[in-house]
Amino acid sequence: MLENADLGKLIIRLTLGGLMLFHGIAKLLNGIGFIEGELASHGLPTFLAYGVYVGEIIAPLMVILGYQTRIGALLIIFNMLFAIILVHGNELLSLGRSGGWALELQGFFLFTAVAVIFLGPGRYKLKN
């Protein structure tokens, strides 16, 4: 049987980091006005919206490269908790149109980042 835990960890890191990075690139191209509006509607300072670049660009790159992977995963967790609380709080216990959990994507990012914290980067990483 083929077994390579380090390759599995790499695949998880590339999946989590790569898919999250697409969200960050979209915000680079389209701006963060929506996030600023959500923060303002909750009485929070709008400059906090720039944190999305940390959570959706810097942290995913850390996870992809295996550089300070656990810190990168923790940043993704904070990013997802903010997204769930600010934008998706009313959907927490809802079903989506296809019958699954309405927050499947957010849950994937959140819980996969938690798994990466416990698993660590594995052997295939940048030396740090």
Side-chain angles (χ1 to χ4, degrees), residues 16-123:
L16 172 63
L19 292 176
M20 181 61 80
L21 187 59
F22 282 119
H23 289 267
I25 291 169
K27 289 180 181 73
L28 271 178
L29 297 175
N30 302 312
I32 55 174
F34 171 75
I35 298 165
E36 290 173 325
E38 288 295 323
L39 287 164
S41 74
H42 286 81
L44 296 169
T46 58
F47 76 85
L48 292 175
Y50 290 98
V52 77
Y53 295 128
V54 173
E56 294 185 10
I57 295 175
I58 295 171
L61 288 173
M62 292 169 72
V63 169
I64 289 167
L65 296 173
Y67 177 76
Q68 299 294 323
T69 306
R70 287 183 167 108
I71 294 171
L74 184 62
L75 292 169
I76 290 172
I77 289 168
F78 284 129
N79 186 76
M80 292 317 305
L81 289 173
F82 264 91
I84 290 168
I85 291 166
L86 292 177
V87 181
H88 302 286
N90 61 333
E91 300 172 279
L92 197 55
L93 300 175
S94 300
L95 294 178
R97 290 187 301 232
S98 63
W101 185 32
L103 299 184
E104 286 176 347
L105 181 62
Q106 294 81 5
F108 166 80
F109 287 133
L110 176 65
F111 295 116
T112 303
V114 171
V116 168
I117 286 177
F118 285 106
L119 290 171
R123 180 196 295 154

